[in-house]
Amino acid sequence: MNTAARAPGLVLIAAGVACGVEAMTFNVAFLTDPVGPKALPLLVSAILIGAGIHATARPASDGTWIGSSAFPRVGSAVAAFLLYAVALPWVGFFLSTTAVVSTLSRLFGATLRQAVPAAAALSGVLWLIFVLGLGLPLPIGDLWIR
Amino acid sequence: VDSLRHLIDGFGVALQPLNVALALGGVLVGTFVGMLPGIGPINAIAILIPVTFATGMEPESALILLVGIYYGSQYGNSISTILLNVPGTASAVVTALDGHTMTKQGRGGPALAMSAIASFVGGTFSIFALVLFAPVLAGWAIRFGPAEYFALMVFAFSALSSFAGGSLVRGLAATAFGLWLATIGLDPNSAVPRYTFGQIQLLDGMDFVVVTIGLFAVSEVFHLLEDTGKGTEVASSYGRVMISAKELATTGWTMVRSSVMGFLVGVLPGAGGTIASFLAYSTEERIAGPDGRFGDGDIRGVAAPEAANNAAANGAMIPLLTLGVPGSGTTAVLLGALLGLGITPGPLLIQEEPDLFWGLAASMYLGNIFLLLLNLPLVGFFIRALTLPRWFLIPGVAALAFVAVYAVNGSSFDLALMTGFGLVGYLMRKLDFPLAPVVLGLVLGPLMEKHLRRAMALSGGDAGVLFDSPIAITLWGLALVSLAAPMALRRWTKDVVEDVQSSVPDGVPDDL
């Protein structure tokens, strides 16, 4: 049994311990109720540690899924989404959404010629529906307001 | 008789033009997302919740829309199952056995018609049962104190943990993860910040919309990136969507039995449409005995699961509305929506919010009629949606998810959080952890903690109060039984599970 297969169990144990250690700091000056803010977090910690020990002893997957050929694509998508979160308030909804949607379309195998016009049209339609139709404010972009 | 009068008042609410439009829109969206593999009703509901909040809809109107998506998806899920052998949701997996076989035999049209009719029978039967039993259960649940609620919620958690995935331990770990997310933020009782690490954004706690969209929709996008080769699906020809009176007659009792069974399974926490459809199919297969051609294009094999999964979806509304305790991921999201709209479901809901309860019930009748009328002639239109290229469809869904998450707080921090949950959800899928218990833990966790603390405060710290009443003891017993139930269930449905695993390409998905 390799380390990769045991990793999920070890992560669960570590999370359970961290969760429990942090829970010990939840002290109240005077006790408002007999249970207090610690009880549920400590229960969570116990379940996580128990499940972690079980998963370490008897791993469900053999860990071979690590290194799947999809990882570069998934990684690019994660990066694009995070970049989108940063860019949205700056460059505004239309440009950032067009960029992230066309990136995702490219990852799903569209050509640049297909992806960009479709993404721009989609962003425009969403803007019309949500801002003009439903009155939900979406960011215009601080960069253009100044 | 009293119920009938209330129901007529309910139609007064449901027939308001806006509510008719919302019911129609809800069931159309539901049919659509139920049909498309990968985009389940839970995503569509989570995406539309911020919209209903932001537009200031009346609670009953919002619920008519969101619940319409929920039961509408149980109609749509069979379309792609029958025509493409690609189940739209887990609860339609069993329909593939006979439904897709019928398509291969050139009888796709009758299979589609059967599925729509069985869905209608299961749906309307279970609304009838809902209207009949919900007030009874509510009258009974009025006696529930905090200890009984605590035990009931433990039952809901243990049932979903044990039914949601293959492994009870992984289900429990997912529940614990959800409960942990629920504790993040200011503790409402003592005002102690928990797991906020000094971040102001975390003081309010985790928003269930952000978590749900991240865990389900975003992780699905990542998951689909593994298989970008699959593009447009080509549907086989299916002929006319019609069924002969003779065929319909042979399935009458099948639909009745499956509706009853589906409804009962739906009321129980943890079990849902998926389990109901497996149970109904194996039961009908046994009843048919050697006369049946189950697995070889027997039309009863379409009628049974489709009646059962629709009845189960509506049955699940009973514990949600009368107890305030959902038993699945999707109904947990609906509970979150209700709480956000300022409605606390529970035994008093029917009396205090008659417009909401009876209006919803009436609109469910209406929605089922819409679904039956639309499904038969519009199948061709829905199928065209299945042929949309994936590079267009999935990024489009992602963009909708972004807008919805941003609309929750108007904060792009939530978008980063959503991406994080997307990655966690992706890893959980890879490692075979169920996702639904996380959402249930997050939505139900604060209520469970509140009831536990109230019960203990009333008893002065004596834990014995939790096991003091017959109702509480029964619920604890049920919680224990639910941990062993999947084993019994697996034995009863063993043949069907094996058939599904060998004939449906993606096997049995475990999202409930």
Side-chain angles (χ1 to χ4, degrees):
Chain A
M1 198 66 69
N2 56 15
T3 344
R6 298 197 189 279
L10 296 174
V11 170
L12 275 180
I13 295 176
V17 171
C19 175
V21 169
E22 178 72 13
M24 298 313 286
T25 68
F26 301 155
N27 292 315
V28 272
F30 54 95
L31 214 50
T32 46
D33 64 311
V35 178
K38 274 183 207 176
L40 187 62
L42 287 178
L43 175 72
V44 167
S45 158
I47 299 176
L48 288 178
I49 293 172
I53 291 171
H54 182 271
T56 316
R58 290 170 56 190
S61 95
D62 52 8
T64 45
W65 60 274
I66 292 175
S68 140
S69 62
F71 275 24
R73 282 199 297 275
V74 174
S76 314
V78 172
F81 289 11
L82 288 176
L83 217 60
Y84 177 66
V86 177
L88 181 65
W90 285 92
V91 297
F93 177 80
F94 182 77
L95 284 182
S96 54
T97 306
T98 302
V100 73
V101 171
S102 48
T103 309
L104 200 55
S105 292
R106 291 279 291 136
L107 291 172
F108 273 102
T111 63
L112 211 54
R113 245 167 223 273
Q114 289 171 320
V116 177
L122 183 73
S123 307
V125 168
L126 285 177
W127 177 274
L128 288 178
I129 293 175
F130 283 90
V131 178
L132 297 183
L134 298 170
L136 271 174
L138 293 171
I140 299 167
D142 291 348
L143 220 57
W144 321 121
I145 294 176
R146 249 172 261 165
Chain B
V1 182
D2 213 26
S3 297
L4 199 68
R5 208 191 61 227
H6 286 301
L7 193 61
I8 291 168
D9 292 343
F11 273 106
V13 177
L15 287 172
Q16 286 164 16
L18 173 69
N19 291 343
V20 173
L22 287 172
L24 182 61
V27 298
L28 277 177
V29 172
T31 305
F32 198 69
V33 297
M35 180 182 67
L36 294 170
I39 310 166
I42 193 167
N43 293 330
I45 293 171
I47 286 173
L48 279 172
I49 284 172
V51 177
T52 62
F53 288 178
T55 50
M57 251 179 228
E58 291 293 316
E60 54 266 25
S61 302
L63 206 59
I64 284 172
L65 172 71
L66 300 174
V67 175
I69 298 173
Y70 178 53
Y71 62 79
S73 68
Q74 299 295 336
Y75 272 77
N77 60 14
S78 55
I79 298 177
S80 49
T81 310
I82 290 171
L83 294 180
L84 304 169
N85 205 25
V86 180
T89 65
S91 55
V93 167
V94 191
T95 312
L97 293 178
D98 288 281
H100 187 62
T101 311
M102 285 178 72
T103 301
K104 281 192 286 191
Q105 295 165 348
R107 295 194 294 142
L112 287 169
M114 183 73 251
S115 141
I117 291 166
S119 294
F120 180 77
V121 171
T124 42
F125 164 82
S126 55
I127 306 166
F128 182 67
L130 170 86
V131 171
L132 211 58
F133 291 121
V136 178
L137 187 63
W140 185 68
I142 241 154
R143 278 174 279 171
F144 277 33
E148 284 78 17
Y149 271 111
F150 178 69
L152 178 64
M153 289 172 186
V154 171
F155 174 32
F157 284 130
S158 65
L160 187 60
S161 302
S162 90
F163 281 116
S167 140
L168 171 64
V169 177
R170 287 195 292 277
L172 285 174
T175 302
F177 179 45
L179 289 174
W180 176 69
L181 293 174
T183 62
I184 295 175
L186 273 189
D187 170 29
N189 235 348
S190 62
V192 173
R194 296 190 286 191
Y195 304 110
T196 56
F197 309 106
Q199 297 289 314
I200 297 165
Q201 286 109 321
L202 292 177
L203 277 182
D204 274 347
M206 289 284 158
D207 191 280
F208 75 99
V209 171
V210 177
V211 175
T212 306
I213 292 179
L215 276 181
F216 284 87
V218 176
S219 82
E220 185 65 42
V221 171
F222 295 158
H223 180 71
L224 289 171
L225 274 172
E226 293 188 347
D227 199 8
T228 52
K230 262 195 212 164
T232 31
E233 316 268 6
V234 182
S236 345
S237 62
Y238 49 88
R240 286 187 68 193
V241 185
M242 288 277 280
I243 186 168
S244 68
K246 192 171 136 271
E247 276 183 308
L248 200 57
T250 60
T251 57
W253 284 111
T254 297
M255 287 194 282
V256 172
R257 277 191 299 262
S258 303
S259 300
V260 174
M261 192 181 283
F263 177 76
L264 294 175
V265 170
V267 174
L268 294 173
T274 310
I275 289 165
S277 62
F278 275 88
L279 266 178
Y281 187 94
S282 3
T283 306
E284 286 305 316
E285 192 174 16
R286 269 160 223 245
I287 289 174
D291 303 341
R293 291 180 295 107
F294 278 77
D296 194 28
D298 194 314
I299 197 150
R300 284 171 292 182
V302 176
E306 285 306 311
N309 64 23
N310 280 272
N314 293 345
M317 298 302 295
I318 289 190
L320 171 67
L321 294 174
T322 62
L323 300 169
V325 176
S328 70
T330 313
T331 46
V333 172
L334 286 172
L335 173 63
L338 278 169
L339 296 174
L341 291 161
I343 304 281
T344 311
L348 297 175
L349 177 93
I350 300 178
Q351 289 164 33
E352 287 176 354
E353 304 278 351
D355 281 1
L356 182 100
F357 180 81
W358 298 104
L360 176 67
S363 108
M364 287 166 80
Y365 276 115
L366 211 59
N368 270 279
I369 294 169
F370 282 146
L371 283 164
L372 184 66
L373 294 181
L374 290 176
N375 253 272
L376 298 178
L378 287 187
V379 162
F381 167 76
F382 287 125
I383 290 165
R384 217 163 299 153
L386 276 174
T387 58
L388 278 175
R390 199 167 258 187
W391 66 259
F392 179 74
L393 196 63
I394 304 301
V397 172
L400 277 172
F402 296 155
V403 176
V405 165
Y406 184 83
V408 172
N409 290 319
S411 130
S412 55
F413 172 75
D414 284 344
L415 287 169
L417 211 55
M418 171 203 78
T419 308
F421 279 109
L423 199 57
V424 171
Y426 174 69
L427 293 174
M428 286 177 69
R429 280 173 202 263
K430 288 269 120 196
L431 296 165
D432 223 7
F433 282 86
L435 299 173
V438 183
V439 177
L440 188 68
L442 173 61
V443 176
L444 214 47
L447 297 169
M448 183 180 87
E449 195 179 23
K450 188 181 86 183
H451 285 298
L452 172 66
R453 290 163 105 166
R454 196 173 284 171
M456 297 288 278
L458 288 173
S459 75
D462 174 17
V465 68
L466 299 176
F467 311 94
D468 221 20
S469 74
I471 297 177
I473 292 170
T474 310
L475 289 167
W476 284 104
L478 286 172
L480 279 179
V481 169
S482 72
L483 297 181
M487 264 183 290
L489 184 76
R490 255 192 291 270
R491 197 160 305 152
W492 181 253
T493 58
K494 193 172 134 258
D495 297 343
V496 187
V497 174
E498 279 166 8
D499 288 351
V500 163
Q501 273 160 355
S502 61
S503 70
V504 182
D506 293 327
V508 187
D510 58 15
D511 59 302
L512 288 170

